[in-house]
């Protein structure tokens, strides 16, 4: 079980909604696995067109939190509280989860291209939604692969199996796949942990480019990655958000000692 | 300057027609941590596996050149493979304890060597778990399945398992890449402790890790060693432009 | 060379010997079937109808029946097994109820086929009044087939990494679409192996068919392919003795003078048919898999 | 390390060079104001020093952040560390320029020694030149130029200091009413000498930037 | 307001959601169909099998401990001659013996296929084992009759018919099942166990014996139990070679019988609803229960021995 | 519409049209199509099957479905009315669990059953008493009967099998055979007897071939003539039962089975004896009287 702390042990930055466009926001979110509370105390706002990194030790609830944002936890956990997407609470039973997930796309830890061609991977979701116009599909494939910065490497092999690609390329194809359904928000769950440094760096570059058009939330184990990539950082520990602030602040002058310990590697 | 404990000279390795390693010559000093870094597919893991002949298992592998351990060629036909692998232990990327108890895991290497004395085994279990800095976490659960521990603990159990057979060199193939930063830090601390008694050669993707713990670093690219020098030098002022690009993250 | 290494080499030698011995047994079996059977196989044997009590009968009709029945049974059982295994592996929660269902299905797979046959007889032949017919046989074989097929498909589905499912869900697709369009194609090689294994059992099954598809193979009019005519090869309502049943029947009650020849010939043809079926199913499966996954 | 870091390092270096220019200006203006007895110009130098200090703090903060966020190594590390160290030298040089400007204000109305002032003018020119060349060598990461600069000016500046110090002491001994002025001359010469030392330090950081070696020039 | 528009869009049930409902129902109905069939068969057998005891008033004791099987008549001592013990014992003996004989061969072969020569294993042994599954039991029976029975008679004496011959035939019949399932479970043992063992200086054999087989033990046990279940349910082939006499087996070469052989042989010759027929269904029920026990055993082993992958 | 969807629909439409067309095409010929089913005794199955084939060949559109399953199955199916003809080796009255009321017996043929022994036994004749002693387990070695020193291996048909009932009733004079191995088909029995030294069993005449040795009883040889004159006592009728008096196709087919042509040509080949040739008849209780069964 989680030990509850008093409020002064946490620092959560709040935007002024008048000045800042908030894409997503969670309020009083609680996630239960069975009866045990896995995540709570994370009232966080995500600013449009920024990259927010969720960091924290294993089991701190950061992935659980991320997966709640597009209701990927529906089957395995009970999620209470509000998840506001552009002001609409998407955590209510009436909401169509598939539509939610289309708008809030997700990329996973291990590159998971489907056993289809690269082209088929990207067009799959569109085809399932009834888009069959070859011209439109071609355009989408090119556009998203370019956005994901992998077009040059794969453009001559679009009909080769996506599973034959290297890890870094496969992960970027997965991002292109997620972009193809025109999401608004992109959730990434440790997208680089299975990649080597070079691929990781390319991936980060891609994400920085994408920030212009999407709101990106990324879970990472790698603190350097959070530091160099994100605009905002949330530090999770024991199932709650301990500190949320500008990344620069988190990594130079964290307000909470626990955060300091974690980012400086004196933790545990 | 001390004599190197393990050294490779002009090592070539072929997978069928494909040459994976090109004339690698590296000397490893005793009681030092040497890191092998480089982009994916550069041959660093392949090279590491040559050092205790783990590549022998793969079909179609051909190896030229020489690897000497205490001045003895390990690829000579007289070498006892079993003894060699006991002297040059290996820890893998994925924590891979056997699905037995912690105790059985640690004593595995001893039992197959025919050691049955319970007292002796107990002593070694305690010693090696302590050396691997995991004794306090497992001492009350020695007979639990090793898989029931966390990833970081499992990896340290695996290190203890290798230590139990008293090797002089430990090869590590990305031992922390599957672990979170906290567990990684613990393993790194363990390695720094172990350096006193063992020679450690570690392949890592994590450049910070290499810079934090190693004494010497070799940078591999496309099956060749581009640069091999003191870690400080490699990370402050490398001689080679490629090395500089790689360690500073401007590569590719 | 020390002692453990010697021990290792000896042990591996023993393993090789065991494997060789098993191969020998298997080779003997198949060799026995082919050597005693193949000399009796001729084009005429393969195409002419059986004779009840005179020599010179063939197995044309039976061979056709076996294949037709297999295809029908597979057409019926594959969708059901697929559906059920999808439910079990993807939807069902892991609780005592699911495990009870699994146990129940597995029990079914070890029942003697004669029991299944009698059940099919009472249900399809008598109750549903389908008579001794291909359709009764196919339905009974479906019962017989379902447990094994469901189990096999479920295992192949389970072997597809969860990452793939997550990927589909993450794109806002339904679980069902993800399963049908991603997981099933990825599991195809396993599913095909399962189908082949089950087909083998169906080919070789006799006891379940004696009471359902019947043990007579009236001559068919191969010029009439209208499934509604009773003497058409495609008619699902005609009795259809399969090759395995034929072998069983002539061995137990046959009085034709050349029964050993017919019997051994039939066995050889049966094994050959299974072999051809296996190879072609594998080939077709691989082609489909390659097409669906762009792997080659 | 990627684009973001590269962009930031460019900005950081630009800031650093800007600071270099500001200080260079301060040194030149302070010297000139002293020679010209231009109290107004001197006052400007003193006020501008705040700007220098702010910029210095800004650069230091950015450098710390970059180390914390990007953990640079090799050349990147040398860039950031070099700036971090050199920026202190710049700021100190700025401080001394400010001191010279204050001296201009202090000397107002005191008795002058024109021959000394002319040497101060020469020294100011030389120090300014040395300083500018050091900054240039840093900007271009030119190790050779840095070494040359350090070598070239070292003796010269020492000589000039002595040339100022000797007549100043003599004057003090002869004319007690000139003591104040002579002390101010000595201080200004000392300040200029310090600025020269900081220039040499910058040259040392240039060498570090280019080679990673920390050496002592002179 | 834009948000309300968005909310409306998000509330609308999408086509995808309808797909999901449809797919869920479809697969559920397939499962329910199977369940109906399974339950149907179980109820069918249970009602028929239990009527021996409840309608024909045969006592459980007579059924499970009697040694004389001749339903419809009385034993010399006056009880109903429905003693199923000889068949139960026969079934158990052949099944267990077959499993005992098969296991080393199956494991040896599977180890050969996965550890020693995977290429050759996949090329030759795999298709052959698949082929063997398809051979009708009648053919096995006849080969047993013409090869195994004379062999047993000449080697061990007796008529050749008996549990030993049954064991040999079943041995070959369940071999493919055990081999292929064992191969699967050996393949499921992660490669890095083998590497770790070799890196600790173990020989190949030590690795196989102490690590691979040990890690695969639950899978192998499951394979054996499945093989036993298959043996238990096998009828035609065993019937031909076991002698099929409802006698307590007093040695391995004396004629005996199994539940399935008596069941299969008797079914056509009895009339539905008669005591003789009911008694046969009781045998089927015993089979069903045995099969249930085997399965529970598999689950038990599976749960106890399951190791994380 | 997408191409693939279009193709799918075309396939569906074509299949539906083809199915409908086929159904239409069927209705033209189906009017004179008729089919009946006969189920039961495996001993009678080849005969009825052969006859049905000939009958179908002569009468277009007629389909007679003949299945085995055993006498028990035949009787219970005809009793329940699931089929038109139930084949049995036994009188319905002899079978436990069958209510013979309402079932009409058509005796189609007579089958003789003879003991057979393995060739190695070298015994060609046995007395009834010896036979009983062998099958009740009192004699266990052939040397007790003057044969070679080989233990006797008894092989029975399965319980309830018509052949076994006939053999026990008339060959063993009502004595029950000792528990021994059982086989549920004549083919297997013959195979086992031919390959097992010292084996003895019994099969109907049709199954006797060179591989086994038929045995005379009390000097009477197992021949068809001996059966016709009831000198060879171990014989039984092959019955086809109908529920009530046969009608329509069933009636026609039964008549066809009984006509001279079939009885003389087919029966001989298969080893059955025509009822017409019988000089004696027998009731289900075993009472024998002169006259054919007709």
């Amino acid at each position: 079980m989680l030990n509850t702390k008093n409020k002064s042990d946490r620092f959560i930055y709040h935007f002024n909604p008048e000045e800042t466009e908030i894409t997503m926001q969670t309020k009083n979110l609680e996630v239960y696995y069975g009866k045990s509370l896995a995540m709570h105390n994370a009232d966080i706002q995500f600013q449009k067109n920024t990259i927010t990194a969720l960091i924290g030790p294993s089991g701190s609830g950061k992935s659980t939190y991320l997966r709640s944002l597009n209701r990927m936890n529906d089957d395995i956990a009970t999620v209470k509280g509000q998840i506001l997407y552009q002001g609409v609470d998407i955590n209510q039973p009436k909401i169509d989860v598939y539509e939610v997930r289309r708008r809030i796309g997700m990329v996973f830890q291990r590159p998971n291209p489907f056993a289809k061609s690269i082209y088929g991977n990207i067009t799959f979701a569109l085809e399932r939604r009834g888009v069959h116009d070859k011209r439109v599909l071609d355009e989408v494939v090119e556009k998203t692969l370019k956005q994901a910065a992998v077009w040059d490497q794969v453009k001559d092999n679009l009909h080769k199996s996506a599973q034959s690609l290297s890890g870094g390329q496969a992960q970027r194809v997965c991002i292109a796949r997620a972009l193809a359904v025109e999401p608004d928000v992109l959730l990434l769950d440790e997208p680089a942990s299975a990649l080597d440094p070079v691929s990781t760096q390319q991936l980060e570059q891609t994400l920085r480019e994408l920030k212009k058009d999407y709101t990106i939330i990324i879970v990472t184990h790698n603190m350097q990655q959070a530091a160099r990539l994100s605009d905002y950082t949330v530090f999770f520990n024991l199932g709650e958000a301990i500190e949320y602030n500008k990344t620069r602040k988190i990594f130079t002058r964290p307000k909470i000692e626990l955060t300091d310990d974690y980012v400086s590697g004196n933790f545990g | 300057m001390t004599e190197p404990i393990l050294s490779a000279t002009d090592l070539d390795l072929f997978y069928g027609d494909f040459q994976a390693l090109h004339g690698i010559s590296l000397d490893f000093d005793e009681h030092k941590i040497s890191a092998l870094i480089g982009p994916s597919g550069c041959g660093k893991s392949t090279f590491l596996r040559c050092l205790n002949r783990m590549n022998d298992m793969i079909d179609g592998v051909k190896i030229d050149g020489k690897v000497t351990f205490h001045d003895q060629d390990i690829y000579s036909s007289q070498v006892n493979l079993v003894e060699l692998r006991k002297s040059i232990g290996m820890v893998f990327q994925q924590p891979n304890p056997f699905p037995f108890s912690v105790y059985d895991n640690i004593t595995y290497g001893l039992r197959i060597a025919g050691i049955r004395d319970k007292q002796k085994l107990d002593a070694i279990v305690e010693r090696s778990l302590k050396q691997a800095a995991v004794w306090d976490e497992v001492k009350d659960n020695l007979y639990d399945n090793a898989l029931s521990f966390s990833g970081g603990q499992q990896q340290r159990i695996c290190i203890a398992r290798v230590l139990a057979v008293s090797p002089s060199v430990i090869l590590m193939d990305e031992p922390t890449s599957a672990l979170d930063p906290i567990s990684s830090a613990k393993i790194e601390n363990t390695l720094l402790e172990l350096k006193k008694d063992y020679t450690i050669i570690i392949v890592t993707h994590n450049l910070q890790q290499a810079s934090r713990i190693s004494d010497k670093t070799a940078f591999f690219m496309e099956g060749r060693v581009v640069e091999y020098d003191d870690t400080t030098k490699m990370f402050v002022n490398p001689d080679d432009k490629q090395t500089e690009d790689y360690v500073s993250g401007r590569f590719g | 060379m020390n002692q453990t290494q010697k021990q290792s080499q000896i042990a591996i030698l023993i393993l090789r010997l065991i494997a060789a011995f098993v191969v020998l047994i298997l080779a003997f079996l198949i060799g026995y079937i082919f050597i005693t059977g193949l000399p009796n196989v001729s084009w005429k044997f393969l195409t002419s109808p059986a004779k009840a009590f005179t020599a010179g009968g063939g197995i044309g009709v039976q061979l056709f029946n076996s294949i037709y029945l297999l295809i029908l049974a597979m057409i019926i059982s594959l969708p059901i097994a697929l559906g059920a295994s999808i439910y079990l592996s993807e939807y069902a929660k892991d609780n005592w109820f699911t495990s009870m269902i699994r146990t129940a299905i597995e029990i079914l797979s070890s029942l003697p086929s004669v029991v299944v046959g009698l059940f099919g007889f009472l249900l399809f032949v008598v109750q549903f009044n389908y008579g001794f017919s291909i359709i009764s046989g196919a339905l009974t074989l479906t019962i017989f087939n379902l447990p094994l097929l469901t189990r096999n498909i479920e295992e192949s589905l389970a072997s597809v990494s969860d990452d793939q499912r997550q990927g589909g869900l993450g794109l806002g697709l339904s679980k069902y679409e993800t399963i049908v369009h991603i997981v099933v194609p990825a599991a195809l090689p396993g599913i095909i192996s399962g189908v082949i294994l089950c087909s083998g059992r169906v080919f070789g099954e006799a006891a379940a068919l004696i009471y359902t598809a019947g043990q007579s193979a009236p001559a068919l009019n191969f010029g009439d392919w209208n499934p509604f005519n009773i003497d058409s090869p495609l008619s699902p309502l005609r009795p259809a003795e399969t090759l395995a049943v034929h072998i069983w029947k002539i061995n137990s009650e046959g009085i034709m003078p050349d029964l050993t020849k017919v019997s051994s010939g039939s066995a050889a043809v049966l094994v050959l048919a299974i072999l051809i079926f296996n190879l072609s199913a594998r080939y077709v499966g691989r082609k489909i898999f390659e097409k669906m996954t762009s792997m080659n | 390390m990627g684009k973001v870091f590269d962009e930031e390092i460019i900005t950081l270096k630009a800031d650093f060079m800007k600071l270099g220019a500001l200080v260079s200006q301060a040194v030149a203006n302070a010297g000139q104001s002293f020679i010209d007895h231009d109290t107004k110009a001197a006052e400007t130098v003193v006020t501008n020093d705040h700007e220098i200090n702010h910029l210095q703090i800004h650069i230091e903060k950015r450098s710390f952040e970059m180390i914390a966020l990007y953990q640079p190594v090799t050349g990147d590390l040398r860039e950031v560390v070099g700036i971090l160290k050199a920026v202190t030298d710049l700021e100190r040089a700025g401080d001394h320029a400010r001191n010279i400007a204050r001296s201009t204000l202090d000397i107002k109305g005191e008795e002058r020694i024109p021959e000394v002032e002319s040497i101060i003018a020469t020294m100011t020119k030389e120090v300014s030149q040395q300083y500018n060349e050091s900054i240039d060598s840093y900007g271009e990461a030119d190790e050779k130029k840095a070494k040359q600069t350090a070598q070239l000016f070292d003796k010269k500046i020492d000589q000039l200091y002595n040339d100022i110090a000797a007549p100043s002491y003599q004057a003090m001994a002869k004319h007690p009413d000139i003591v104040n002025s002579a002390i101010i001359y000595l201080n200004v010469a000392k300040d200029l000498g310090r600025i020269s030392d900081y220039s040499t330090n910058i040259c040392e950081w240039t060498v570090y930037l280019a080679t990673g070696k920390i050496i002592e020039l002179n | 307001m834009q948000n309300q528009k968005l909310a409306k869009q998000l509330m609308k049930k999408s086509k995808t959601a309808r797909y999901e409902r449809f797919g869920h129902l479809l697969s559920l109905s397939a499962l329910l169909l199977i369940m109906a069939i399974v339950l149907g068969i179980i109820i069918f057998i249970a009602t028929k099998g239990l009527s021996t005891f409840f309608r024909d008033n045969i006592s459980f004791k007579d059924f499970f401990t009697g040694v004389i099987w001749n339903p419809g008549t009385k034993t010399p001592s006056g009880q109903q001659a429905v003693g199923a013990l000889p068949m139960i014992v026969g079934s158990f003996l052949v099944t267990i013996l077959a499993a005992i004989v098969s296991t080393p061969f199956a494991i040896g072969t599977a180890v050969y296929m996965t550890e020693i020569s995977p290429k050759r294993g996949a090329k030759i042994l795999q298709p052959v084992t698949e082929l063997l599954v398809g051979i009708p039991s009648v053919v096995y029976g006849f080969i047993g009759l013409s090869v195994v029975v004379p062999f047993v008679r000449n080697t061990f004496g007796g008529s050749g018919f008996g549990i030993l011959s049954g064991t040999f035939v079943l041995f070959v019949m369940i071999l493919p099942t055990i081999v292929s399932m064992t191969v699967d479970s050996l393949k499921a043992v992660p490669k890095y166990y083998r590497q770790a063992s070799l890196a600790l200086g173990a020989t190949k054999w030590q690795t196989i014996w102490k690590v691979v087989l040990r890690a695969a033990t639950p899978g192998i046990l499951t394979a054996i139990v499945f093989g036993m279940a298959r043996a238990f349910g096998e009828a035609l082939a065993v019937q031909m070679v076991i002698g099929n006499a409802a006698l307590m087996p007093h040695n391995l070469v004396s004629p005996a019988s199994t539940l399935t052989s008596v069941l299969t042989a008797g079914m056509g010759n009895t009339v539905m609803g008669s005591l003789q027929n009911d008694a046969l269904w009781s045998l089927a029920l015993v089979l069903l229960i045995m099969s249930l026990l085997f399965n529970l055993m598999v689950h038990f082993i599976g749960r106890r021995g399951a190791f994380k992958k | 519409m997408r191409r693939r969807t279009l193709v799918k629909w075309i396939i569906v439409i074509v299949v539906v049209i083809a199915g409908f067309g086929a159904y239409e095409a069927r209705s033209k010929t189906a009017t004179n199509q008729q089919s009946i089913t006969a189920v039961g005794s495996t001993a009678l199955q080849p005969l009825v099957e052969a006859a049905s084939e000939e009958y179908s060949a002569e009468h277009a559109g007629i389909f007679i479905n003949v299945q085995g399953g055993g006498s028990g199955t035949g009787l219970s199916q005809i009793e329940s009315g699931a089929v038109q003809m139930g084949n049995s080796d036994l009188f319905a009255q002899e079978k436990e669990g069958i209510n013979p009321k309402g079932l009409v017996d058509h005796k189609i043929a007579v089958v003789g059953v003879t003991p057979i022994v393995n060739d190695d036994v070298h015994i060609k004749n046995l007395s009834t008493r010896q036979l009983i002693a062998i099958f009740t387990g009192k004699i266990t070695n052939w040397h007790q009967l003057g044969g070679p020193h080989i233990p006797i291996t008894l092989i029975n048909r399965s319980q309830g099998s018509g052949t076994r009932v006939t053999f026990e009733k008339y060959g063993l004079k009502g004595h029950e055979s000792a528990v021994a191995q059982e086989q549920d088909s004549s083919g297997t029995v013959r195979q086992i007897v031919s390959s097992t030294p010292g084996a003895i069993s019994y099969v109907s005449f049709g199954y006797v071939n060179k591989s086994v040795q038929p045995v005379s009883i009390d000097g009477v040889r197992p021949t068809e003539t001996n059966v016709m004159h009831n000198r060879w006592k171990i014989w039984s009728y092959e019955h086809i039962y109908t529920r009530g008096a046969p009608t329509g196709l069933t009636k026609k087919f039964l008549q066809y089975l009984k006509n001279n042509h079939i009885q003389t040509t087919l029966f001989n080949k298969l080893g059955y004896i025509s009822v017409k040739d019988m000089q004696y008849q027998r009731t289900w209780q075993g009472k024998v009287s002169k006259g054919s069964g007709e």
Side-chain angles (χ1 to χ4, degrees), chain C residues 105-167:
Chain C
I105 290 175
E106 276 166 15
I107 289 172
L108 197 57
S109 70
S110 56
L111 268 188
S113 44
V114 63
V115 173
V116 179
L118 280 170
F119 180 75
F121 169 70
L122 290 177
L123 191 67
F124 304 121
V125 177
V126 179
Q127 202 64 43
F128 292 176
N129 207 12
Y130 293 158
F132 291 92
S133 61
I134 289 194
I135 189 73
S136 301
L139 289 171
T140 309
L141 282 182
T142 297
I143 295 181
F144 176 75
N145 231 347
L146 279 177
L148 197 70
L149 206 52
T150 306
R151 193 188 133 81
N152 269 326
I153 297 179
E154 198 196 330
E155 262 173 23
S156 338
L157 290 181
S159 72
V160 176
S161 153
D162 260 351
D163 293 350
Q164 297 278 314
R165 295 176 179 83
Q166 303 250 335

Side-chain angles (χ1 to χ4, degrees), chain F residues 265-293:
Chain F
T265 55
L266 216 51
F267 278 36
N268 265 339
K269 286 186 205 159
L270 295 171
Y272 296 96
I273 299 155
S274 170
V275 180
K276 291 199 169 99
D277 296 336
M278 288 300 289
Q279 308 298 317
Y280 290 85
Q281 58 183 348
R282 195 155 68 189
T283 65
W284 72 270
Q285 293 93 340
K287 281 200 185 112
V288 178
S289 57
K290 201 147 164 60
S292 78

Side-chain angles (χ1 to χ4, degrees), chain C:
Chain C
M1 176 86 56
N2 68 11
Q3 209 187 329
T4 52
Q5 276 162 307
K6 236 179 251 159
Q7 179 201 346
S8 172
Q9 290 196 334
I10 290 167
I12 286 169
L13 185 72
I14 291 171
L15 284 175
R16 280 179 194 279
L17 288 177
I18 287 178
F21 180 69
V22 169
V23 169
L24 217 65
I25 293 178
L26 306 185
F28 165 77
L29 261 172
I30 291 169
Y32 186 91
I33 292 169
F34 279 157
I35 288 166
T36 55
L38 281 182
N40 307 312
V41 178
S42 63
W43 181 244
K44 189 170 161 279
F45 181 71
L46 287 178
T47 50
S48 55
K51 295 219 166 108
F53 49 88
T54 49
I59 52 165
V61 180
Q62 282 80 1
L63 189 59
F64 177 82
N65 285 344
S66 278
I67 295 166
Y68 186 41
L69 197 59
L70 170 72
I71 291 171
L72 263 188
M74 280 300 163
I75 287 176
I76 300 170
S77 50
L78 197 57
I80 301 176
L82 196 60
S85 46
I86 284 176
Y87 193 87
L88 280 176
S89 81
E90 313 288 337
Y91 287 106
K93 301 232 158 54
D94 209 10
N95 54 22
W96 66 270
F97 187 69
T98 322
S99 93
M100 196 192 78
I101 290 175
R102 283 207 181 89
T103 312
I105 290 175
E106 276 166 15
I107 289 172
L108 197 57
S109 70
S110 56
L111 268 188
S113 44
V114 63
V115 173
V116 179
L118 280 170
F119 180 75
F121 169 70
L122 290 177
L123 191 67
F124 304 121
V125 177
V126 179
Q127 202 64 43
F128 292 176
N129 207 12
Y130 293 158
F132 291 92
S133 61
I134 289 194
I135 189 73
S136 301
L139 289 171
T140 309
L141 282 182
T142 297
I143 295 181
F144 176 75
N145 231 347
L146 279 177
L148 197 70
L149 206 52
T150 306
R151 193 188 133 81
N152 269 326
I153 297 179
E154 198 196 330
E155 262 173 23
S156 338
L157 290 181
S159 72
V160 176
S161 153
D162 260 351
D163 293 350
Q164 297 278 314
R165 295 176 179 83
Q166 303 250 335
L169 293 182
L171 288 174
L173 296 174
S174 63
K175 224 170 174 176
Y176 176 68
E177 287 169 298
T178 310
I179 295 159
V180 170
H181 295 279
I182 294 168
V183 180
V184 170
L188 210 58
I191 295 176
I192 287 165
S193 285
V195 168
I196 288 174
L197 222 63
C198 290
S199 306
R201 275 186 68 177
V202 168
F203 253 126
E205 182 50 39
L209 290 175
I210 294 168
Y211 293 98
T212 51
Q215 357 169 359
S216 64
L220 300 175
N221 178 2
F222 278 97
D224 179 1
W225 291 92
N226 185 339
F228 292 99
N229 288 341
I230 195 103
D231 54 351
S232 151
L234 291 184
S235 165
L237 286 172
R238 67 186 172 86
E241 180 190 44
T242 65
L243 213 47
V245 174
H246 188 61
I247 297 173
W248 173 82
K249 192 177 85 175
I250 55 180
N251 275 324
S252 48
E253 303 292 347
I255 46 174
M256 60 278 266
D258 58 347
L259 77 89
T260 44
K261 279 186 182 173
V262 176
S263 148
S264 52
S266 306
V269 171
L270 187 73
V271 172
L272 218 57
I274 294 168
L275 193 68
I276 292 167
F277 179 83
N278 279 10
L279 293 178
S280 51
R282 239 173 241 298
Y283 178 79
V284 171
R286 204 176 53 233
K287 284 285 155 207
I288 296 174
F289 182 66
E290 277 171 9
K291 194 167 179 310
M292 284 178 119
T293 61
S294 307
M295 298 256 206
N296 30 40

Side-chain angles (χ1 to χ4, degrees), chain E residues 85-157:
Chain E
L85 192 62
M87 279 88 84
I88 294 174
V89 171
S91 271
F92 264 102
L93 273 179
V94 273
T95 303
I96 288 167
L97 285 176
I100 289 173
V101 180
S102 300
T103 302
F105 285 97
I107 293 176
T109 311
V111 167
Y112 180 83
M113 282 168 74
T114 53
E115 311 292 320
I116 296 174
S117 183
K119 272 191 201 148
R120 214 176 300 167
K123 227 183 221 158
I124 303 172
L125 280 159
Q126 181 130 21
V128 170
T129 39
E130 278 175 11
L131 205 57
L132 286 177
V133 177
I135 297 176
S137 15
V138 190
V139 174
Y140 278 111
F142 264 85
I143 295 176
L145 204 55
S146 42
V147 180
V148 177
V149 171
F151 169 77
V152 169
R153 180 168 55 232
N154 298 333
T155 318
F156 301 99

Side-chain angles (χ1 to χ4, degrees), chain A residues 51-65:
Chain A
I51 299 179
T52 307
L54 312 182
I55 61 168
S58 294
S60 61
K62 56 189 191 301
S63 278
T64 303
Y65 178 77

